Amino acid sequence: MIIMKVNEWCMYCGECAGVCSRSLIEVRENSLKFDKKKCKECTICIQVCPVQALAKEE
Amino acid sequence: MLIETDVLVIGAGPAGSSTAKHAALNGSDVIVIDKKSEIGAPKRCAEGVSKEGLKKLKIEPSNRWVIKELSGVRMIAPDGTSVWLNEEKVKLPEAGYILERKVFDKHMAMDAARAGAKIMVKTLAKGIRREDDHLVTTLETMGEEFEVKAKIVVGADGPESRMGRFLGLKTTLKPKNMESCAQFEMVNVKMEDPDSIEFYFGSVAPGGYAWIFPKGDDIANVGLGILTTETDKSAYDHLLEFVKNNPSTQNAQPVELNVGGDPVGGMLKELVTDNFMLVGDAASQVNPLTGGGIITAMEAGVYAGEVAAAAIKDGDYSAKKLSKYQERCEENIGVKFKRDLKVKDYLQSLSDEELNSIADAFHDIELDTINTAELIKQLIKVSPKALLKLGKLF
Ligand SMILES: Cc1cc2nc3c(=O)[nH]c(=O)nc-3n(C[C@H](O)[C@H](O)[C@H](O)COP(=O)(O)OP(=O)(O)OC[C@H]3O[C@@H](n4cnc5c(N)ncnc54)[C@H](O)[C@@H]3O)c2cc1C
Ligand code: SF4
Ligand code: SF4
């Protein structure tokens, strides 16, 4: 199973949440939560991040 | 805990504060919430606005948040050829301001509070559901969950917007409609003219552009927006490269890094549903050509606030009643955006060589105004491709 990993340098800008077609990403002021079970692994959120803070973890 | 109100506004950016202010001024009970502990910070913005825009909104410029007045524009082609639009060459009808957004956003929220709105900071909206003829929103503050029952909820929750989706509105953005942006606020910036804003086009920022917006003295916002569908590198990597190569930033040092998404796909088709409206970046109310969204977010906020207050007075919060908001947005914002979207598509289709030759041709042209329509008219004269793609529009 692939799990999304949020790296420590995430800046909580919310761009990833804006493009997730399943609305699985909740961006708080200083944290980011995924609803991992519903993720279809499209990796679009990884693609748009301005600082490459998201990664797939096998 | 359950709180009741007429209008709940989610997000206290320019869109939310403007909506809250105008709903309150027109007699509604309003609560506006933001997940941030400091409204306006961190900024996701290069901080440029037009004077005309503020005037239209009847907002008096204040020296607390206007940090710099501009007198010109410099556009730079990939080979370094500049097209200057400044007071020497062009009679500027209306130039712009650079804001200090952290201060500006707070002041807009203060205006909303003075009009009667209640503000809650560090408060996150987590979910929303329909119950009879109202909406119940689940909020969280300091680890505590509570609910707000509102007749109307306004989603002013920025580019990360999810509130509309929970009610069935299609607000998910495709990567080709969302600029991925990175910016340094820098010191020791040496601009050719520190009173002009600069735009850099071409492969420095695939699918977007790079900018240097002066903030007074040797300080400037140096940033760029890219489409991640056009490049394999991140916005941040493009920014590092831009700063390394640009003559103005050779000795510049960053004091702040900002990142974020800018929705440039044109205004969303559906802005309302029963008891609910979308405003600002959440509705993609960002000029698709320039990426500027402060003024339009606030303009839409005026419409949303007025329409919400009228709906509360009439006791009718149906989509039909709220569609007046959508109509006003389409008329005053949407029509212009559709045209600018075509110009953006054209600009994005140009290679570095084509951009260079256009800049070269522009060099010798005397312009007498600075608005987009006039620029495009001149563009059509120098570029056959522009005539083909834009000729009918202008
Ligand atoms: C790098 C960059 C440069 C830009 N430069 C310019 C420029 O020079 N000029 C210009 O006019 N525009 C510019 N823009 C666009 C401009 O910043 C936005 O259009 C503008 O901020 C939109 O205002 P808003 O109120 O809709 O959204 P925002 O300002 O993003 O406000 C949304 C608010 O909602 C809050 N929020 C979100 N979700 C929740 C939730 N679930 N619960 C509680 N609160 C929530 C957020 O914390 C935020 O405060 C730029 C954008 C970027 C990314
Ligand atoms: S886009 Fe990147 S930096 Fe922004 S919130 Fe998502 S993971 Fe963090
Ligand atoms: S991989 Fe796709 S579905 Fe999963 S969180 Fe990212 S955008 Fe959403």
Side-chain angles (χ1 to χ4, degrees):
Chain A
M1 198 177 76
I2 295 168
I3 310 172
M4 301 301 293
K5 183 181 170 214
V6 188
N7 283 303
E8 169 278 326
W9 60 85
C10 167
M11 296 179 66
Y12 314 111
C13 71
E15 179 151 7
C16 52
V19 296
C20 174
S21 62
R22 300 193 160 195
S23 308
L24 305 180
I25 309 177
E26 182 181 89
V27 187
R28 300 177 165 222
E29 188 175 26
N30 292 307
S31 66
L32 191 153
K33 279 206 327 200
F34 275 94
D35 188 344
K36 287 172 184 160
K37 276 182 287 204
K38 294 188 192 140
C39 174
K40 62 174 178 181
E41 295 162 15
C42 68
T43 71
I44 282 176
C45 54
I46 298 180
Q47 183 193 331
V48 300
C49 175
V51 289
Q52 284 174 328
L54 293 176
K56 273 200 290 190
E57 224 179 32
E58 302 282 333
Chain B
M1 182 166 75
L2 180 79
I3 300 171
E4 288 191 40
T5 185
D6 291 337
V7 181
L8 171 67
V9 181
I10 298 167
S17 290
S18 174
T19 307
K21 174 179 163 184
H22 289 276
L25 283 178
N26 287 286
S28 296
D29 276 335
V30 182
I31 298 176
V32 52
I33 65 139
D34 202 294
K35 65 184 175 188
K36 289 177 174 174
S37 49
E38 180 180 1
I39 289 172
K43 68 178 191 267
R44 297 182 280 207
C45 191
E47 311 182 284
V49 292
S50 70
K51 289 184 189 173
E52 212 177 338
L54 284 180
K55 205 189 270 173
K56 205 165 80 181
L57 291 165
K58 300 195 181 71
I59 294 175
E60 267 309 307
S62 151
N63 57 13
R64 285 180 185 254
W65 44 259
V66 170
I67 195 150
K68 173 83 192 154
E69 202 171 334
L70 302 161
S71 59
V73 178
R74 179 185 175 214
M75 293 186 277
I76 302 101
D79 67 358
T81 308
S82 308
V83 177
W84 287 95
L85 305 168
N86 53 28
E87 277 162 336
E88 289 159 33
K89 206 170 174 183
V90 182
K91 249 185 266 132
L92 293 171
E94 208 62 71
Y97 291 129
I98 300 295
L99 308 176
E100 191 67 78
R101 271 288 299 267
K102 288 170 199 171
V103 184
F104 177 76
D105 282 25
K106 270 191 212 140
H107 276 257
M108 295 305 110
M110 289 174 193
D111 277 354
R114 290 185 188 114
K118 291 192 189 71
I119 305 177
M120 301 171 93
V121 293
K122 196 75 179 158
T123 302
L124 176 82
K126 298 175 70 175
I128 189 163
R129 64 177 194 277
R130 201 174 286 290
E131 246 174 43
D132 308 321
D133 64 343
H134 53 260
L135 293 173
V136 177
T137 310
T138 308
L139 305 178
E140 187 189 306
T141 188
M142 301 301 174
E144 195 185 319
E145 248 186 39
F146 64 101
E147 293 185 327
V148 171
K149 180 175 157 183
K151 292 166 183 153
I152 295 174
V153 174
V154 176
D157 47 344
E160 69 263 54
S161 173
R162 298 201 304 167
M163 286 303 130
R165 303 184 205 176
F166 295 149
L167 296 169
L169 290 173
K170 294 188 189 73
T171 69
T172 306
L173 296 171
K174 296 206 169 72
K176 73 167 167 56
N177 290 330
M178 179 88 112
E179 293 283 337
S180 184
C181 306
Q183 168 181 279
F184 285 129
E185 184 169 326
M186 304 189 96
V187 68
N188 281 343
V189 181
K190 290 203 171 54
M191 301 183 70
E192 283 203 21
D193 172 18
D195 295 325
S196 293
I197 48 173
E198 298 188 338
F199 298 96
Y200 294 80
F201 299 97
S203 49
V204 281
Y209 61 83
W211 62 80
I212 302 184
F213 283 12
K215 292 189 77 171
D217 301 329
D218 54 353
I219 306 164
N221 287 327
V222 181
L224 49 76
I226 56 156
L227 287 181
T228 52
T229 47
E230 304 290 322
T231 169
D232 294 331
K233 282 190 282 190
S234 69
Y236 182 68
D237 286 342
H238 278 284
L239 176 63
L240 292 182
E241 210 167 283
F242 179 70
V243 166
K244 190 167 144 236
N245 296 329
N246 195 284
S248 306
T249 48
Q250 290 309 305
N251 294 311
Q253 299 301 322
V255 291
E256 189 171 314
L257 171 65
N258 309 118
V259 302
D262 202 7
V264 291
M267 193 164 77
L268 297 183
K269 291 207 174 60
E270 263 185 312
L271 306 181
V272 303
T273 180
D274 290 335
N275 311 74
F276 187 85
M277 294 185 272
L278 285 169
V279 188
D281 275 18
S284 284
Q285 284 162 341
V286 169
N287 181 308
L289 180 60
T290 63
I294 302 169
I295 297 292
T296 37
M298 298 188 70
E299 182 184 345
V302 177
Y303 307 146
E306 288 175 0
V307 169
I312 298 292
K313 274 184 193 144
D314 294 349
D316 175 2
Y317 330 115
S318 64
K320 190 159 171 271
K321 181 81 181 174
L322 302 183
S323 68
K324 183 82 198 141
Y325 163 66
Q326 169 130 12
E327 277 166 34
R328 289 178 73 182
C329 287
E330 271 164 13
E331 199 177 305
N332 297 301
I333 300 170
V335 175
K336 189 181 170 314
F337 278 9
K338 277 191 187 133
R339 198 174 73 169
D340 287 344
L341 201 54
K342 296 226 167 64
V343 180
K344 183 188 77 167
D345 288 344
Y346 159 73
L347 278 178
Q348 284 182 359
S349 76
L350 297 172
S351 66
D352 279 6
E353 290 71 36
E354 284 171 306
L355 285 164
N356 291 340
S357 66
I358 289 173
D360 208 41
F362 256 85
H363 231 54
D364 310 319
I365 290 173
E366 288 292 322
L367 287 164
D368 37 65
T369 66
I370 200 173
N371 63 44
T372 339
E374 180 63 26
L375 275 177
I376 300 299
K377 271 187 207 141
Q378 293 296 340
L379 193 61
I380 289 170
K381 283 190 199 153
V382 301
S383 158
K385 195 162 158 187
L387 175 64
L388 210 64
K389 296 210 169 178
L390 305 169
K392 287 203 195 78
L393 290 165
F394 292 88

